[in-house]
Each structure stands twice: as structure tokens, then as C-alpha cells.
Amino acid sequence: MALTAIIEEHGGPERFKLVERDVGAPGPGEVRIAHKAVGLNFIDVYQRTGLYPMELPHAMGMEAAGVIEAVGEGVTHLKEGDRAAYASNPPGAYAEARVMPAAQVCPLPEGISFEEGAAMMLKGMTVEYLFHRTTPLKSGDTVLFHAAAGGVGLLACQWARSEGITLIGTAGSDEKCQLALDHGAAHCINYRSGDWAATVRELTDGKGVDVVMDAVGKDTFDGSLSSLRPLGMMISFGNASGPVPPLDIGILGKKGSLKITRPTLFTHIADHETCQAMARHLAEKVLSGDVKITIGQRFALRDVAKAHEALEARKTTGSTILEI
């Protein structure tokens, strides 16, 4: 039996229910993993509220690290006793243990702790695809990154610095801006203090940035488009402030023949080999010291509702984990 956080209907953090569930044995292509730490992400909020609807009741959570307890038939990249971490569908990581598909579960090197593993997989592989699999980026390019002091943002600041890319961040306070700067952002703008899009233009001598990486959504979308240089790329990869309203595609032409994409991590990691390669690339960045995993908050599994309240109120910095 394993303590597991589930929801039976969509809504606020109060919808979480803690239950004991039978874990069972892994079937073909599956593993059973005993979690040591679990990561929290905004996609968890989207699923809980129903923005991303799920068939209910359902266990929650997309990211964790732990020890493989058993492997099913056909699983060759993991064995019993291995350290492992993942970001993966279906949800179910908010649990002491689970059985799940093995394809997106990745070996966790000895030099990376379980807490770091739980905090880095979804966010770190997101940064990996943003910088390496979405649009060509090279040393000297300029990126605008919103929520630069969040879990994904602090990894992006470091990743950009390690690749010679100038990252302009935005954040909601001077303290959060300083955190982004400390992690490698070249500049960080407190979006509460004025017209941040105009400041981006000033910082780029009126040219605009090559790429915008925007997980905030509705509140930043128009300003993001206005911050791009002609032929620039807008990567909209989240909806923390709400979904982006329908777009008149003609605005892209008016603002300089802009490009726009709405990627998801789960498209990228659907292929087993691609997922494993992305995880290895991320681990290399962490083991080399180019990227350090910042865990800003820790909650007990039983306090998952409080963790979600903090996440939604934007009271978190870096990554948030549940301790098992």
C-alpha cells in the first residue's frame, strides 16, 4: 500500500484527498518505483483545476525520483535497485510508490540527489527542448524569459549563461529579479514597476530579442510579441496567468513576420530514445556545475494542498518538492 494524493473532482487545492492504494506488480513495459522525492509543476495546477481536463478520480503529479523496486517484461534500460527519475504521463507521482510505464523513466546518476532529481526532470527537460529542439539558438543570441525566478526560469538563466546566450528575464519583485541575476540572467525586469516591453526594447537598442520563452500566457502575450525583432520566434509554453485569447494571425505579419509555436514537453519525450537523450543532456549540465538545482520550498506529501496554494499565489522561488 502507498499513500497517494488524488482528486475526485476539479477545483481548488482543497480537492486533494489522501488515500492508501495498492501498488501491485509491474506489467510488460512497466516499472514499480518507490519515490524518495516528488516535484511540483504548474501543469499539476492546470490538471487539478480542469484547465487540462482528466478522467476522474485520478492520482496527481508528473515528476519524481526514487528507487526501482521491480521491472516488467521487456524493460532493459532499468533494473531493480537502480536510482531513477522521471517526468511522465500519466499523472500519479504524488505517492509513496507507483507502477508506471518505463519508457520515460530515466537512470539518475549517483552525483545527483533524489531531491535534485525530483526537482529537475520536467523543468530541466523543458529548458533542454526550449534551447535545443524548438528554434536554432547560438552564442550571442538574445532571449526574453518570463517568470525567470521560477523553477524553469532559474534553470533557463543558468543554461543560457552556459551557452553564451543573453537572457533578459522578468519577475514580480526586485528580490526575484536579483535571484534571476544571481543565476545567470544578463538583465531582469520587475514587471510590476512599469512598461517591461519598452524596457526590453531599450536593453536591445530598439531591435528586440531573437526569441521569447513565455509560460505566463494571457498577461504577457501581447508584450512578448512586441518585444521580438523582425522574424523573431515566440515560444508560448504555458498559461500561468490563464490561456492566451484567440489570435488574429495577421498581427504576426504586422509586427515583423514573426513566428510562433506552442510546444509541450510531452511531445518531445514521447519517443523513448529522445527522452533518454534529453535526460542525459540535462544530467551532464548538472554534473558539470553549469546548472545547479535550486529547491526553494519543501512540503510533506500530506501537505500537498498547501504546496499548491503557495505555487498558485506565486510565493515560490526555484523548484518545490514533496518529501516522502
Side-chain angles (χ1 to χ4, degrees):
M1 303 295 286
L3 187 68
T4 305
I6 69 168
I7 59 169
E8 296 178 326
E9 54 185 317
H10 294 297
E14 73 282 357
R15 298 298 186 190
F16 278 113
K17 183 177 180 180
L18 291 166
V19 299
E20 292 282 351
R21 301 178 106 187
D22 183 22
V23 179
E30 294 181 332
V31 295
R32 186 173 73 231
I33 182 169
H35 292 149
K36 300 296 186 181
V38 176
L40 270 72
N41 299 279
F42 249 98
I43 190 172
D44 306 350
V45 175
Y46 304 155
Q47 291 170 340
R48 192 204 72 229
T49 60
L51 179 62
Y52 294 175
M54 298 189 302
E55 186 175 333
L56 300 178
H58 210 298
M60 293 288 293
M62 307 293 289
E63 176 183 45
V67 177
I68 301 297
E69 291 188 321
V71 299
E73 181 184 351
V75 177
T76 58
H77 70 292
L78 295 165
K79 65 182 185 302
E80 183 179 337
D82 280 355
R83 306 170 81 253
Y86 66 86
S88 177
N89 274 314
Y94 294 178
E96 292 173 331
R98 69 183 294 199
V99 167
M100 64 182 296
Q104 281 69 46
V105 182
C106 305
L108 182 65
E110 287 289 346
I112 301 174
S113 72
F114 289 118
E115 286 191 344
E116 291 170 326
M120 79 180 198
M121 293 296 287
L122 192 146
K123 304 169 192 68
M125 290 197 295
T126 295
V127 173
E128 203 273 352
Y129 86 67
L130 288 172
F131 280 84
H132 295 276
R133 300 173 190 271
T134 308
T135 191
L137 278 167
K138 62 185 184 304
S139 178
D141 285 346
T142 302
V143 167
L144 172 63
F145 199 101
H146 293 296
V152 178
L154 292 183
L155 297 183
C157 290
Q158 298 173 80
W159 204 290
R161 178 174 58 189
S162 76
E163 309 243 333
I165 293 167
T166 299
L167 186 145
I168 301 172
T170 69
S173 70
D174 290 343
E175 292 76 16
K176 287 188 174 184
C177 281
Q178 187 59 53
L179 190 60
L181 293 169
D182 291 344
H183 281 75
H187 310 278
C188 194
I189 306 163
N190 183 343
Y191 63 78
R192 300 183 191 278
S193 63
D195 186 345
W196 56 264
T199 305
V200 172
R201 285 285 172 182
E202 292 171 8
L203 290 171
T204 57
D205 297 323
K207 299 174 184 176
V209 299
D210 298 291
V211 176
V212 175
M213 299 175 181
D214 186 347
V216 175
K218 177 172 63 69
D219 290 353
T220 51
F221 188 79
D222 290 342
S224 291
L225 290 182
S226 296
S227 299
L228 282 165
R229 65 162 174 79
L231 304 178
M233 168 65 85
M234 167 72 171
I235 306 173
S236 176
F237 69 103
N239 321 276
S241 67
V244 175
L247 172 70
D248 173 7
I249 198 170
I251 197 69
L252 302 179
K254 293 175 183 177
K255 287 183 175 290
S257 301
L258 305 180
K259 294 164 283 188
I260 186 167
T261 184
R262 179 45 170 104
T264 73
L265 172 64
F266 299 103
T267 305
H268 286 278
I269 65 173
D271 176 74
H272 168 72
E273 293 299 336
T274 300
C275 177
Q276 300 296 319
M278 291 171 68
R280 287 193 296 269
H281 191 185
L282 170 61
E284 289 166 6
K285 286 282 190 183
V286 175
L287 291 170
S288 71
D290 284 342
V291 171
K292 292 181 172 60
I293 308 302
T294 301
I295 300 171
Q297 302 73 218
R298 293 170 170 83
F299 294 85
L301 176 59
R302 290 186 178 276
D303 292 328
V304 62
K306 293 180 181 178
H308 269 238
E309 288 169 2
L311 195 63
E312 286 185 275
R314 301 192 187 185
K315 293 180 179 178
T316 64
T317 55
S319 297
T320 302
I321 64 167
L322 301 176
E323 296 176 318
I324 304 298

